[in-house]
Amino acid sequence: MTELRIPGSLSSPTIHCSSQPPRLYMQGDSYPENAFDLYQPVLQWLQAHLSAADATLNMELELVYLNTSSVRVMMDVFDLLEEAHREGKQVAVRWYYDPRNERVAELAEEFREDLSLPFEIQPHS
Amino acid sequence: MQTTDLFALQQRYSEQGILLCFNGPLSSSLIEEIGKALRNHMESQAVTPSSAMDVFGAYIELTQNIRHYFVGQAWSDAVATVVIARDADGHYVVSAGNRILAADGRHLLQRIAALAGMDRAALRAAYKEQLRRPREDASRGAGLGLIDMARKATRPLHADLQEVPDGSAFFSLTVTL
């Protein structure tokens, strides 16, 4: 059982990866100058977690603003999930957003349209 | 010694609708702090969350591009001029300028002119293509950030280059949201 917690800051989201239950949670804004450095441990955790033949993962996002450097890294994250999905592993994404801010839904939609894995974009109630 | 006429400066800022401005070495923590001030301002003006995010996003991309450029050139202190204003129609206008190699500046002017000629669909396609480019090529030249700003702007990006004889120049970019 591995767990990864990265506390959030003004420019970086709160990140929690857990293998029991298998879940990756990210909440907040993401605009660090070098997003790749910030997300490197997350990408490593994901690769290790998804390498198991029976791996499953629920990704729950409450991300709001992403700078383009973070968008690039998120694409890498989704590529890993998509690969696992193609291998028949149960992975799913749910991205929650504030319905007053349609930019977040548009951003999520641009990721979703390039993917075939289950991906829900849900307004907060 | 000549003293700075702050009153004249302040009047000029007011006339031009300048809400926030900065001139000097731009650190990443300063980018965050000015960003916070910008967000607070927009909240107080009841700007919608999506519009506020567009303005904030343009500010972040512009300033971080400058920081990345200085790191790429191995120049110390990323000295920049950043101005956030509101025009007569109520649009937010975010501008940033910095020293640049004249050749890089000319290259940027070409790219921005190319973006100005694209419609929404073409910008979207360019964005997706740039996103899929290998990171090594993409890290140089503010590729994705420029397209992102062009997509969110309500008018074509406006760039200006003032060259000086020693091969350097001052480049500025203005995004109207």
Side-chain angles (χ1 to χ4, degrees), chain A residues 9-12 29 31-34 36 43 64-69 71-76 79 98 100-104 106-107 109-115, chain B residues 27-28 31-33 36 39 48-51 53-54 56-58 60-61 64 67-68 71 124 127-128 130-135 138-139 143-145 148 151-152:
Chain A
S9 73
L10 196 60
S11 61
S12 66
D29 288 322
Y31 54 97
E33 235 166 61
N34 293 300
F36 195 70
L43 289 165
V64 186
Y65 167 65
L66 303 185
N67 64 354
T68 52
S69 167
V71 167
R72 218 176 255 291
V73 177
M74 284 305 294
M75 191 188 68
D76 293 342
D79 282 350
D98 176 346
R100 290 171 309 158
N101 191 344
E102 68 268 23
R103 282 292 177 280
V104 181
E106 288 165 15
L107 174 71
E109 182 54 42
E110 288 206 353
F111 284 116
R112 177 165 73 176
E113 65 195 17
D114 294 335
L115 303 166
Chain B
S27 65
S28 35
I31 290 179
E32 288 187 12
E33 286 304 321
K36 202 156 76 177
R39 281 184 145 176
T48 65
S50 48
S51 302
M53 205 161 94
D54 288 345
F56 183 73
I60 290 292
E61 293 300 329
Q64 290 187 341
R67 297 251 324 144
H68 291 308
V71 169
R124 186 176 194 281
Y127 180 86
K128 289 238 164 181
Q130 185 72 26
L131 191 56
R132 285 280 165 195
R133 255 188 216 167
R135 205 168 253 109
S139 62
L144 198 57
D148 185 56
R151 291 183 76 191
K152 284 164 184 157

Side-chain angles (χ1 to χ4, degrees), chain B residues 47-86:
Chain B
V47 176
T48 65
S50 48
S51 302
M53 205 161 94
D54 288 345
V55 175
F56 183 73
Y59 160 76
I60 290 292
E61 293 300 329
L62 279 172
T63 51
Q64 290 187 341
N65 275 346
I66 294 174
R67 297 251 324 144
H68 291 308
Y69 184 76
F70 273 69
V71 169
Q73 295 297 328
W75 290 348
S76 51
D77 294 352
V79 177
T81 306
V82 181
V83 174
I84 298 158
R86 213 162 181 186

Side-chain angles (χ1 to χ4, degrees), chain B:
Chain B
M1 198 185 107
Q2 203 182 345
T3 56
T4 310
D5 186 346
L6 284 179
F7 180 61
L9 212 73
Q10 186 269 339
Q11 289 219 304
R12 201 153 164 229
Y13 291 158
S14 300
E15 275 163 27
Q16 301 191 354
I18 294 172
L19 307 164
L20 279 167
C21 62
F22 177 80
N23 183 57
L26 200 58
S27 65
S28 35
S29 56
L30 200 50
I31 290 179
E32 288 187 12
E33 286 304 321
I34 298 172
K36 202 156 76 177
L38 172 61
R39 281 184 145 176
N40 289 343
H41 166 81
M42 289 188 290
E43 211 168 293
S44 75
Q45 299 295 304
V47 176
T48 65
S50 48
S51 302
M53 205 161 94
D54 288 345
V55 175
F56 183 73
Y59 160 76
I60 290 292
E61 293 300 329
L62 279 172
T63 51
Q64 290 187 341
N65 275 346
I66 294 174
R67 297 251 324 144
H68 291 308
Y69 184 76
F70 273 69
V71 169
Q73 295 297 328
W75 290 348
S76 51
D77 294 352
V79 177
T81 306
V82 181
V83 174
I84 298 158
R86 213 162 181 186
D87 70 14
D89 303 326
H91 287 280
Y92 279 87
V93 182
V94 187
S95 312
N98 59 289
R99 188 184 151 219
I100 192 172
L101 296 177
D104 292 340
R106 279 181 236 126
H107 178 66
L108 271 172
L109 287 185
Q110 283 173 3
R111 299 191 56 175
I112 288 156
L115 292 176
M118 293 185 190
D119 63 12
R120 295 221 154 268
L123 284 171
R124 186 176 194 281
Y127 180 86
K128 289 238 164 181
E129 194 206 318
Q130 185 72 26
L131 191 56
R132 285 280 165 195
R133 255 188 216 167
R135 205 168 253 109
E136 310 81 72
D137 314 352
S139 62
R140 301 198 173 274
L144 198 57
L146 275 185
I147 308 173
D148 185 56
M149 288 187 275
R151 291 183 76 191
K152 284 164 184 157
T154 54
R155 284 178 211 148
L157 302 182
H158 177 80
D160 187 60
L161 188 68
Q162 305 279 336
E163 296 195 31
V164 279
D166 70 355
S168 82
F170 186 83
F171 173 79
S172 67
L173 183 60
T174 297
V175 190
T176 304
L177 284 314

